[in-house]
Amino acid sequence: MDADEMDVDLDGAGGIGSPPSASPASASGSLPAVLSELAALHRPASSSSATSPPLSLPSITFLSSGPAAVASIFPRLAEAGVPASSLLPPLEASLSAHPLPAAVAYLRLLLAPASPLLTLFSPLPFLSLLLAIRKAAAAAAASGAGSAASNPSSGSGAASNPRKRKNQRQKPPAAPRAAQSLLPKALSLLADAAGRLPLGAHPDARRSLVDTAAELAAFDVLAAVLGSDYHAGAVQDVIRALAPVVLSATKSAARVAAVQFLVRKLVPLGGEEGEEAVRKAVGYLPRYLAAKAPDKAEARALAVEAIVEVVRALEAEVREGFAGYVVAMARGKAKGRLLAVDLVLALLPVLLPSEGDDCDTEDSWWLKFLLLLVERCSDSMGGVRARALTNAAQVLDVLSERGVEVDRLQEVMRIGDMGLGELLRRRCTDDKAAVRKAVLVLITKAIGLIGRPMDESLLCAMGTACSDPLVSIRKAALAAISEVFRKFPDEKVMKEWLQAVPPLVIDSETSIQEECENLFLELVLNRICQAAKSKLDDDSITLEEVFPEGTLELLKSICDGEVAPCIKKICASLGKKKKLKPLLASSLQNIITLSESLWSRNCKPIENWTAPIGSWWLLSEVSSFAPKSVDWKFLSHHWKLLDNVGQDDRGKACSQVEPNSALWAVNRVSLLQTISNVSMELPVKPAAELAQSLLTRIEDFDMNLSEVDAHVKALKTLCKRKAKSANEGDALILKWAQQLICSAFDILDQYIKEASESARGHSFVTPMTGKRKGMKQTSASKSTLRAVVAVFTVGSLILACPTADVKDITLCYTQFYMSKITKSLRDTCEVVRRQTFILLSKLLQRDYVKWRGVLFLRFLPSLVDESEKIRHLADYLFGNILKAKAPLLAYNSFIEAIYVLNDCTGHGVYSDSQSQGSSDGRPALFAIRGTDERSRSKRMHIYVSLLKQMAPEHLLATSAKLCAEILAAVCDGLLSVDDAGGRAVLQDALQILACKEMRIHPNILSDNSEMDEEGGEGGATASALLAAKGRAVTQVAKKNLIQIAVPIFIELKRLLESKNSPLIGCLMECLRALLKDYKNEMEEILVADKQLQRELLYDMQKYEAGKGKGKAAAQAEAEAGPSGTGRSPAGESARATVRSVLKEVNLKAPTPPLHSMSVPKVKSILGSAGPGSLRPDVLESVRRLQPFESDDES
């Protein structure tokens, strides 16, 4: 102990009720001094009822020093006439003053020879002793944590603050080291005393002792308690105290020691020779732990591990009783079910019989456990289903190792009439991700139990899981369906596997891509490699007998149109990683050769032979990575064979071509690609001869369209092989490319000339219409086919040789027929419209076609096309490509678009837009005419799409143009509103001006969050500039509204009132939308028309009241229910507001004569009445009230 603290304690001890003569004697710390102090403390205590003072620290230290110090204290006390009970009050007071030394001294006295236990032991001092030990342990733990946190070596914080370091040196430590060193001694003495103390009569003291020992992991104390004569009552206390330690959520030494204590010390007490109460408590120990087990997964797993350790130490009868409890718990609450499915898996190895015994009996625990798991696989709680499926997979592994028959497992894993396959299928489509993942793991483990044939619905569910959003589920599905394919390579399984697994090569997760490639290599390519050693036998009749089972079906399936692109990517990736074996190319050549040999041996005509489907295609994909494995003689032989058959097919009429000619064409394409891949390994002379043959074939322009690109690519690679250098090869390729392009355009010119003459007109239509018979029909079809092949050939040449000069020719043909091509954008067939849109979009992006004339206007209806795909393409074209490529196009063509979409020719300036391209008598082909809601909404969608592309300054200019070129044109008589087209244009213009996309707010320009995130001075400057620009634009917009728009609106309102036009409602609605942000300045803006000012103010008030009325009416209707018939209070309030405002308006402005009034819109129901059918005052009243109704209509 520190000297300073010792002095302070001694001074304090000498000053609390002790005589002056005792101070020097107490300083010696000897037995006589202790006796003297006890005698001195005994005299005041016997004469007064005050609380006894504590013993001095030297006396406490002496008593706690060792057994020799207290060996003779009780005889000496008897000699001095001091009773032993006089020790208890000062010791109890010392437990508060000096906790740990006093506790050690108390325990020393209890263990001393001739110690009067019944006199010295009392529950309250004993509880104080336990509290002192617990506080000392807590202080020691805090001191250790504090010293670790303040260690200078762990950082530079302490070294950087010298004042703090000086204060730390001056302060005494929180827990003296001498006191900390007494803690192990105190626990040791407590363990020695626990078995001797009379705790059987004091259950509270016993329970506190057990709790303290459990908290401090003092298992020797607990062992002493269990070894005492009062252990029968202490067993339950020990179980209760150790349960939180055993079930703790973290792995620790204390937890492991607690579990071992239960197994080695507590469980043996429940043997046959033990007391009945102890046996019952020990038997219920695992159930108690199961009831207290935590919910979280990691903590629950540790609890299961501890419970199983305890169960393993119990007797067989008790183990079976707990197993029955687990089965019952699996049918209880959700928490118990979740724990039960975990306990089942852990208990199964414990309850299974030994290796030599028969485990397949009706009352076997594995049978009950497996049935339990199968039931829980359909639990209402997702977590229980997932754990049951996961554990069922592991249980099947255990049972398979123990030799349980598959038929028996299939019989067990049924729920009523639902077999295992149906159960797995349902869980594959579960709404919980953990369940879907768990069932896929179970499928992988239980593939032998599913049986053949595989359920198609289960296969489909596994295939669907391969495209699950979660990576872990895709991985599990990939493993599951691949395991099924590995065990059962049936045709259905193969088809589903190829539909599900190869597309994962483009997965976003790299590990899934690699696993997909490895599985394809293992399950597909390696199986095909097995055909390399196949040979024809004398008794071979079919190819299926020659090659390994499933090889031909596999080849046929991999060239499916949906799967082929993914397999190409897989083969390319495997080839780059050098995982494709040369044996694969040899195997494919062997398959093709044996197929031809077997066909010839059966004396069948060779022109009817086709190689196994997919063999040529796969060879063309893998040959580029194994060019030396492909034999030139093999390629030459089959090229001559396929080419001769192809020429024979081209010489026949279309009706005479054999059905398998399409397969020959596909095989020729694959063969040409193979030749291209291995061209650098070919001999020079044969390569040159083949190149000349291909050039001749291409110049005939009579081959199948699918072969054109393959011929061009093969010719390009052969020319490189033929040339001596790279430059010579490029020159040679450019030479024959230009030659072929010229020939192709000669054919096109000739065909166009013939077609125009046949049509007997100046227009050219493709394809030709009308029916012809005989030789003319044959000649025309051949001419058309040659022209089509020529076009395809030009496209292939452009891709193969981009340096070829074809741009001028393309521009010539495209611009000449552009007005006719754009008409296909309004074709009745969706495919035609979509392909036309894509074609023109690509031409526009590459500048082969310009956005001039009516091309832009004819693209606009695609924004509201009936096809969703076309609408998406149009949105992307206008919103992304066009906005970046031609940002001013929408602004420049906006007014013209309004006239074109409404098919309005009333304005002289814009009448030419409709007249262009109308020679076919359909000028309104690209218009969306009509005043119905559907037509107007379509036009507004187009207008809004164009407005979204404009900058704020362009929106401002567009607003001015709308006022000047449409609204002012109506006022000046240039655009007549008596015409339906003119009215539609004016109505659209008013709606555009009123829409929210036309409003200009400063925050549109001042929002510069992206620059602010980057920080810096430049970002702040740019933000300030944009804010200033926004304010400037807003001021200009307000100025234009006052000086330009409002005068035009006033004049237009007078014109429409004079014509009694129904567009007055639209005009008022537009003005309300424009001026609602300027309510306070309304009098200044509308100074020229006070009546209009009052009407607009009232309309705005009524509009806001109407919104509140609608909300209140909806709320009242919801509260009253469907049968509510009461009048809404909000409606009464609105009507009262209308009456009061109307009265106010009438008081301020007397009614002018009818001829001088601004007449708003009158409902159509009144328009049919004659001039004299109603009194003038009634008509005047109706006209004055009508603006209020127009808001409801709008």
Side-chain angles (χ1 to χ4, degrees):
M1 177 173 287
D2 195 56
D4 296 336
E5 187 174 330
M6 178 89 62
D7 295 338
V8 172
D9 289 340
L10 286 173
D11 295 339
I16 304 178
S18 59
S21 60
S23 180
S26 62
S28 62
S30 60
L31 181 58
V34 173
L35 294 174
S36 301
E37 186 176 355
L38 287 174
L41 292 174
H42 176 63
R43 286 192 295 270
S46 61
S47 61
S48 176
S49 60
T51 304
S52 174
L55 291 172
S56 63
L57 184 59
S59 299
I60 294 294
T61 305
F62 174 77
L63 292 175
S64 63
S65 59
V70 296
S72 60
I73 189 172
F74 291 107
R76 296 285 295 273
L77 284 175
E79 293 176 0
V82 179
S85 60
S86 63
L87 280 169
L88 201 56
L91 278 175
E92 186 176 359
S94 300
L95 287 171
S96 299
H98 317 292
L100 199 54
V104 174
Y106 189 13
L107 292 171
R108 292 282 188 195
L109 292 171
L110 290 173
L111 294 173
S115 174
L117 289 177
L118 296 178
T119 302
L120 284 180
F121 179 79
S122 179
L124 290 179
F126 186 71
L127 292 176
S128 300
L129 180 147
L130 296 177
L131 180 61
I133 294 176
R134 294 171 75 168
K135 285 184 176 180
S143 176
S147 61
S150 61
N151 187 6
S153 62
S154 63
S156 60
S160 62
N161 194 345
R163 180 178 298 178
K164 183 178 180 181
R165 186 169 65 252
K166 181 178 179 181
N167 294 338
Q168 288 177 351
R169 286 199 302 267
Q170 292 176 353
K171 288 179 63 177
R177 294 182 180 179
Q180 294 181 19
S181 63
L182 290 175
L183 182 60
K185 179 59 67 177
L187 294 176
S188 177
L189 294 173
L190 184 62
D192 295 338
R196 301 177 57 183
L197 297 177
L199 294 175
H202 303 284
D204 291 339
R206 182 190 65 207
R207 193 174 296 111
S208 295
L209 174 63
V210 172
D211 290 344
T212 301
E215 180 181 345
L216 303 181
F219 297 106
D220 51 351
V221 177
L222 295 176
V225 170
L226 294 179
S228 64
D229 54 356
Y230 57 86
H231 70 278
V235 169
Q236 294 184 6
D237 294 335
V238 172
I239 292 175
R240 177 188 52 78
L242 285 180
V245 183
V246 171
L247 301 176
S248 61
T250 57
K251 294 182 179 180
S252 61
R255 176 189 165 277
V256 175
V259 174
Q260 293 302 316
F261 179 82
L262 292 177
V263 172
R264 295 176 182 177
K265 298 294 182 180
L266 185 65
V267 172
L269 297 177
E272 295 181 359
E273 65 279 0
E275 299 181 15
E276 182 64 26
V278 176
R279 293 178 59 190
K280 188 175 181 181
V282 172
Y284 276 89
L285 171 60
R287 302 188 185 191
Y288 179 77
L289 295 177
K292 296 294 183 180
D295 295 336
K296 293 186 178 180
E298 295 181 2
R300 188 176 66 249
L302 293 175
V304 169
E305 180 184 341
I307 293 171
V308 172
E309 286 294 324
V310 173
V311 172
R312 197 187 301 273
L314 294 172
E315 297 179 354
E317 184 180 354
V318 182
R319 288 201 299 263
E320 292 185 358
F322 179 68
Y325 173 78
V326 171
V327 173
M329 186 169 57
R331 297 181 175 90
K333 295 183 178 180
K335 176 184 175 182
R337 299 199 304 271
L338 193 57
L339 179 64
V341 294
D342 284 344
L343 282 171
V344 162
L345 175 63
L347 288 173
L348 185 63
V350 178
L351 297 176
L352 277 177
S354 57
E355 294 289 342
D357 299 335
D358 183 18
C359 63
D360 193 5
T361 58
E362 291 297 331
D363 57 347
S364 299
W365 281 110
W366 73 262
L367 179 62
K368 297 178 181 178
F369 283 174
L370 191 57
L371 286 173
L372 183 151
L373 289 176
V374 173
E375 285 183 19
R376 292 307 100 204
C377 288
S378 301
D379 195 275
S380 59
M381 183 178 174
V384 178
R385 295 197 300 271
R387 293 301 302 168
L389 289 164
T390 303
N391 295 343
Q394 300 185 43
V395 167
L396 290 177
D397 274 350
V398 174
L399 296 177
S400 300
E401 293 176 359
R402 296 300 298 270
V404 181
E405 295 181 357
V406 173
D407 295 339
R408 180 65 171 154
L409 291 174
Q410 285 181 340
E411 180 183 350
V412 173
M413 297 190 70
R414 296 182 65 89
I415 304 178
D417 297 332
M418 183 173 62
L420 178 60
E422 177 64 17
L423 172 65
L424 297 178
R425 184 195 65 79
R426 292 185 181 182
R427 298 286 75 83
C428 279
T429 57
D430 199 279
D431 56 343
K432 299 294 183 181
V435 178
R436 299 198 299 272
K437 181 181 178 181
V439 74
L440 292 168
V441 175
L442 178 58
I443 291 173
T444 307
K445 300 287 186 181
I447 187 63
L449 303 179
I450 299 175
R452 303 175 73 172
M454 285 288 296
D455 186 17
E456 291 188 11
S457 58
L458 177 58
L459 282 173
C460 182
M462 285 190 288
T464 304
C466 289
S467 57
D468 196 274
L470 297 180
V471 175
S472 58
I473 296 180
R474 295 202 298 273
K475 287 183 178 179
L478 179 61
I481 197 170
S482 299
E483 185 65 22
V484 173
F485 185 34
R486 190 178 288 112
K487 295 290 181 63
F488 305 139
D490 299 335
E491 182 179 356
K492 292 189 298 184
V493 178
M494 180 191 307
K495 181 179 179 181
E496 188 62 40
W497 188 90
L498 288 172
Q499 292 292 331
V501 175
L504 293 177
V505 74
I506 58 175
D507 195 274
S508 58
E509 181 66 24
T510 307
S511 59
I512 294 181
Q513 297 178 14
E514 294 176 353
E515 184 64 18
C516 172
E517 294 171 3
N518 294 334
L519 288 171
F520 187 82
L521 180 63
E522 173 196 353
L523 300 177
V524 177
L525 300 183
N526 288 348
R527 290 187 180 183
I528 296 175
C529 288
Q530 298 175 4
K533 299 180 181 179
S534 301
K535 295 181 180 180
L536 282 178
D537 297 331
D538 295 337
D539 55 349
S540 298
I541 300 176
T542 61
L543 284 177
E544 286 76 7
E545 301 174 358
V546 178
F547 303 112
E549 183 181 0
T551 303
L552 298 181
E553 287 294 333
L554 202 56
L555 284 171
K556 182 178 179 181
S557 301
I558 62 175
C559 62
D560 184 79
E562 297 181 2
V563 184
C566 300
I567 295 180
K568 284 184 177 182
K569 188 173 181 63
I570 293 175
C571 291
S573 179
L574 291 174
K576 292 176 182 177
K577 297 175 182 177
K578 298 183 179 179
K579 291 185 178 181
L580 291 179
K581 304 175 183 178
L583 182 64
L584 179 60
S586 303
S587 177
L588 292 169
Q589 293 177 80
N590 189 38
I591 291 173
I592 296 171
T593 303
L594 292 182
S595 172
E596 182 187 358
S597 301
L598 184 61
W599 186 274
S600 301
R601 194 172 71 178
N602 293 334
C603 301
K604 296 181 180 180
I606 194 63
E607 59 270 12
N608 293 336
W609 168 78
T610 56
I613 299 176
S615 55
W616 277 115
W617 181 84
L618 185 58
L619 181 62
S620 66
E621 296 301 325
V622 303
S623 58
S624 59
F625 303 103
K628 295 183 179 179
S629 301
V630 182
D631 186 21
W632 163 244
K633 293 182 180 179
F634 168 80
L635 295 177
S636 177
H637 166 71
H638 285 91
W639 169 248
K640 292 177 181 178
L641 176 63
L642 295 175
D643 189 48
N644 291 335
V645 173
Q647 291 179 358
D648 293 342
D649 287 342
R650 284 189 294 274
K652 298 178 182 179
C654 295
S655 59
Q656 298 175 346
V657 176
E658 296 294 333
N660 60 356
S661 60
L663 294 177
W664 283 81
V666 173
N667 290 343
R668 280 195 296 271
V669 172
S670 300
L671 176 55
L672 285 171
Q673 183 176 345
T674 305
I675 293 173
S676 301
N677 295 337
V678 303
S679 59
M680 301 308 295
E681 304 295 332
L682 299 181
V684 177
K685 185 176 179 181
E689 293 176 355
L690 181 59
Q692 184 61 38
S693 174
L694 293 177
L695 181 60
T696 305
R697 286 281 313 280
I698 296 173
E699 284 183 327
D700 292 338
F701 298 107
D702 59 351
M703 68 181 71
N704 195 299
L705 295 180
S706 61
E707 301 179 56
V708 173
D709 192 53
H711 277 72
V712 172
K713 289 181 179 179
L715 180 58
K716 179 180 178 180
T717 56
L718 289 173
C719 286
K720 291 183 177 180
R721 179 70 181 96
K722 179 181 178 182
K724 297 180 181 180
S725 64
N727 294 332
E728 182 182 351
D730 294 339
L732 186 60
I733 293 171
L734 183 60
K735 179 181 177 182
W736 60 255
Q738 291 292 138
Q739 176 183 343
L740 289 174
I741 289 173
C742 293
S743 302
F745 281 116
D746 289 342
I747 292 175
L748 287 175
D749 289 337
Q750 182 180 357
Y751 173 67
I752 292 172
K753 181 179 179 181
E754 294 176 356
S756 301
E757 292 176 355
S758 301
R760 294 180 181 179
H762 301 289
S763 63
F764 170 61
V765 181
T766 304
M768 295 172 57
T769 58
K771 296 183 179 180
R772 296 177 177 84
K773 297 182 180 180
M775 295 299 295
K776 289 186 178 181
Q777 180 183 4
T778 304
S779 175
S781 61
K782 287 184 178 180
S783 177
T784 303
L785 288 175
R786 290 196 70 195
V788 171
V789 174
V791 173
F792 268 76
T793 305
V794 172
S796 297
L797 290 171
I798 293 173
L799 295 175
C801 183
T803 57
D805 187 14
V806 296
K807 184 172 182 180
D808 294 337
I809 304 175
T810 308
L811 286 173
C812 174
Y813 282 98
T814 53
Q815 293 291 353
F816 184 73
Y817 298 108
M818 191 51 57
S819 62
K820 297 178 176 62
I821 294 175
T822 52
K823 292 178 181 177
S824 299
L825 291 171
R826 304 296 284 171
D827 197 274
T828 56
C829 178
E830 177 188 350
V831 177
V832 173
R833 297 198 307 273
R834 185 169 69 247
Q835 293 299 327
T836 305
F837 187 92
I838 294 172
L839 170 66
L840 292 176
S841 300
K842 290 183 177 180
L843 291 174
L844 289 165
Q845 291 180 59
R846 297 193 178 191
D847 289 333
Y848 285 111
V849 176
K850 302 295 183 183
W851 288 103
R852 60 173 64 133
V854 296
L855 184 58
F856 173 76
L857 301 174
R858 294 190 173 187
F859 262 88
L860 293 178
S862 299
L863 287 166
V864 291
D865 195 275
E866 296 177 358
S867 170
E868 185 178 1
K869 295 180 180 178
I870 298 178
R871 292 199 301 271
H872 288 169
L873 290 172
D875 288 337
Y876 183 78
L877 176 67
F878 283 93
N880 296 81
I881 299 175
L882 186 59
K883 188 175 182 179
K885 196 174 183 64
L888 296 178
L889 189 58
Y891 163 69
N892 291 330
S893 305
F894 190 80
I895 305 299
E896 188 177 5
I898 299 176
Y899 281 93
V900 171
L901 291 175
N902 285 284
D903 191 28
C904 176
T905 58
H907 197 293
V909 177
Y910 298 104
S911 60
D912 296 338
S913 301
Q914 288 80 1
S915 62
Q916 293 183 21
S918 59
S919 57
D920 57 349
R922 293 185 296 173
L925 183 62
F926 294 90
I928 307 177
R929 291 182 299 178
T931 57
D932 57 291
E933 182 63 27
R934 186 167 179 268
S935 300
R936 284 192 288 110
S937 64
K938 283 186 175 183
R939 293 198 301 269
M940 280 305 299
H941 180 81
I942 295 175
Y943 301 147
V944 168
S945 300
L946 297 180
L947 291 174
K948 288 180 179 179
Q949 302 178 36
M950 299 185 192
E953 55 269 22
H954 295 153
L955 290 175
L956 183 61
T958 301
S959 175
K961 289 175 68 176
L962 285 170
C963 293
E965 300 186 23
I966 295 181
L967 273 61
V970 174
C971 297
D972 296 340
L974 299 177
L975 179 63
S976 174
V977 292
D978 297 331
D979 179 55
R983 284 196 302 271
V985 168
L986 178 58
Q987 185 175 9
D988 284 2
L990 293 173
Q991 288 183 348
I992 293 169
L993 288 170
C995 71
K996 63 180 181 179
E997 286 76 13
M998 280 294 293
R999 298 178 190 171
I1000 302 171
H1001 301 286
N1003 56 358
I1004 296 178
L1005 289 168
S1006 62
D1007 186 10
N1008 196 28
S1009 58
E1010 293 183 2
M1011 289 188 178
D1012 292 342
E1013 288 178 2
E1014 296 177 1
E1017 235 176 278
T1021 305
S1023 179
L1025 289 174
L1026 286 175
K1029 183 179 179 181
R1031 290 191 295 270
V1033 170
T1034 306
Q1035 292 298 324
V1036 173
K1038 180 180 177 181
K1039 182 179 179 182
N1040 287 347
L1041 177 66
I1042 297 174
Q1043 297 182 358
I1044 299 176
V1046 170
I1048 294 177
F1049 271 100
I1050 294 174
E1051 184 66 26
L1052 181 61
K1053 178 175 178 292
R1054 292 171 180 170
L1055 175 64
L1056 295 178
E1057 287 174 344
S1058 65
K1059 295 179 176 290
N1060 200 16
S1061 173
L1063 295 179
I1064 294 179
C1066 294
L1067 176 68
M1068 298 296 289
E1069 176 66 21
C1070 179
L1071 272 174
R1072 184 192 62 77
L1074 290 175
L1075 298 175
K1076 71 176 183 178
D1077 294 333
Y1078 305 100
K1079 290 182 180 179
N1080 299 330
E1081 305 170 7
M1082 187 79 74
E1083 185 175 354
E1084 175 188 353
I1085 295 175
L1086 296 176
V1087 66
D1089 195 331
K1090 296 292 184 181
Q1091 178 68 17
L1092 178 61
Q1093 175 187 339
R1094 287 191 294 271
E1095 290 178 0
L1096 283 175
L1097 281 173
Y1098 177 70
D1099 281 353
M1100 291 179 185
Q1101 294 174 357
K1102 184 174 179 294
Y1103 179 78
E1104 294 173 357
K1107 287 197 298 185
K1109 177 183 68 174
K1111 292 180 181 179
Q1115 184 177 359
E1117 184 178 355
E1119 293 175 355
S1123 60
T1125 56
R1127 300 185 67 178
S1128 171
E1132 294 294 338
S1133 175
R1135 278 186 284 274
T1137 304
V1138 170
R1139 287 193 295 270
S1140 63
V1141 174
L1142 181 61
K1143 182 178 180 182
E1144 207 173 87
V1145 172
N1146 290 336
L1147 288 174
K1148 291 183 180 179
T1151 304
L1154 182 62
H1155 63 84
S1156 63
M1157 285 182 58
S1158 298
V1159 183
K1161 173 184 175 181
V1162 179
K1163 278 189 175 180
S1164 58
I1165 192 172
L1166 299 174
S1168 58
S1173 60
L1174 293 174
R1175 297 195 307 273
D1177 55 343
V1178 176
L1179 182 60
E1180 180 181 351
S1181 175
V1182 170
R1183 287 177 176 172
R1184 287 173 56 201
L1185 289 174
Q1186 190 59 30
F1188 313 145
E1189 298 295 333
S1190 64
D1191 272 342
D1192 292 337
E1193 292 177 0
S1194 60

